[in-house]
């Protein structure tokens, strides 16, 4: 699982150790944090060797509300045009909160977003931010009755939250090896509600 994040060296190791094995490989290149997709794809194909392959497409997205996933899909389509985009089947009728904020208002706006989302969902709320903002946002850890946490973008991989507050998406792209692909991961962590705060 998460095969998109294996390095070329890891693929070579798997190829040597599993030369006669039958593999099930689950991954999504649009979510890769490896900076060079072509390099990783070449190493993966070499690891597979000449064995027969079958490819399956996940057609249905049960994790994200349609409003959340549409927002994320529009971003990744600009950067990975051939991304494998499943169809989100759940509607909430609530659009993503998408606003620009001044740098000196980031903490207050994030606090307000957490408070708002806490009234919308019953479960966990992740505040996802680049390194630049995490120390200032640390006070939100445990907010909303202990339901909120502050987390870095790469640590959200494979996780799911009822709601997310994404702080400074451009900053996330700048600091992440996968750039917009890492941001796509971040934007697909919310099951029900999402707020995105762009820093002017």
């Amino acid at each position: 699982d998460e095969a998109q994040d294996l390095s070329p060296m890891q693929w070579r190791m798997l190829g040597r150790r599993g030369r006669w094995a039958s593999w099930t490989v689950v991954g999504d290149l649009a979510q890769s944090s490896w900076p060079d997709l072509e390099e990783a794809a070449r190493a993966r194909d070499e690891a597979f060797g000449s064995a027969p392959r079958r490819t399956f497409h996940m057609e249905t997205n049960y994790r994200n509300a349609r409003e959340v996933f549409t927002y994320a899909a529009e971003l990744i389509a600009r950067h990975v045009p051939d991304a494998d985009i499943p169809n989100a089947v759940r509607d909430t009728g609530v659009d993503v909160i998408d606003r620009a904020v001044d740098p000196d208002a980031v903490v207050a706006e994030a606090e307000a977003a957490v408070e708002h989302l806490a009234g919308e969902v019953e479960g966990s709320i992740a505040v996802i931010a680049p390194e630049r903002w995490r120390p200032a946002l640390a006070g939100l850890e445990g907010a909303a009755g202990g339901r909120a946490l502050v987390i870095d973008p790469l640590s959200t991989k494979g996780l799911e939250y009822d709601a997310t507050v994404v702080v400074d998406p451009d900053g996330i792209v700048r600091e992440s090896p996968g750039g917009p692909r890492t941001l796509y991961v971040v934007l697909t962590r919310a099951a029900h509600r999402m707020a995105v705060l762009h820093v002017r």
Side-chain angles (χ1 to χ4, degrees):
D1 198 4
E2 304 289 348
Q4 73 274 356
D5 285 333
L6 294 184
S7 70
M9 184 63 74
Q10 288 170 317
W11 277 119
R12 285 191 280 276
M13 177 198 69
L14 284 171
R16 286 194 302 271
R17 293 184 178 186
R19 195 167 309 281
W20 310 112
S22 173
W23 298 5
T24 299
V25 177
V26 182
D28 178 4
L29 287 179
Q31 298 185 48
S32 174
S33 56
W34 188 258
D36 188 337
L37 287 182
E38 291 183 9
E39 179 187 21
R42 283 195 306 272
R44 182 196 62 220
D45 287 344
E46 289 170 9
F48 289 167
S50 59
R53 306 174 198 181
R54 289 183 293 170
T55 302
F56 298 90
H57 164 69
M58 185 181 76
E59 296 182 353
T60 306
N61 174 352
Y62 295 104
R63 171 190 285 161
N64 309 113
R66 187 188 311 273
E67 294 83 359
V68 170
F69 190 66
T70 297
Y71 187 101
E74 287 173 357
L75 166 102
I76 201 61
R78 295 194 299 269
H79 299 281
V80 184
D82 59 347
D84 195 7
I85 304 295
N87 179 38
V89 295
R90 290 189 301 105
D91 287 305
T92 63
V94 180
D95 289 332
V96 169
I97 297 168
D98 186 36
R99 67 169 53 117
V101 301
D102 292 325
D104 59 358
V106 166
V107 174
E109 290 283 351
E111 287 175 351
V114 169
E115 183 177 347
H116 171 76
L117 293 170
E120 297 276 312
V121 301
E122 295 182 357
S124 58
I125 304 168
V127 179
I128 308 168
E131 175 59 34
R132 172 186 178 192
W133 296 110
R134 286 199 303 277
L137 294 166
L140 288 173
E141 187 78 30
R147 293 187 287 143
L149 74 152
V150 178
I151 189 168
D152 67 280
L154 284 177
S155 293
T156 67
K157 272 185 164 284
L159 301 178
E160 179 180 310
Y161 308 95
D162 291 281
T164 58
V165 179
V166 179
V167 177
D168 192 8
D170 289 341
I172 290 172
V173 169
R174 282 193 300 271
E175 82 170 17
S176 305
R181 298 186 308 275
T182 300
L183 178 57
Y184 176 61
V185 170
V186 167
L187 295 175
T188 56
R189 298 306 93 192
H192 305 291
R193 303 283 194 277
M194 181 166 67
V196 181
L197 305 179
H198 302 269
V199 181
R200 293 188 180 102

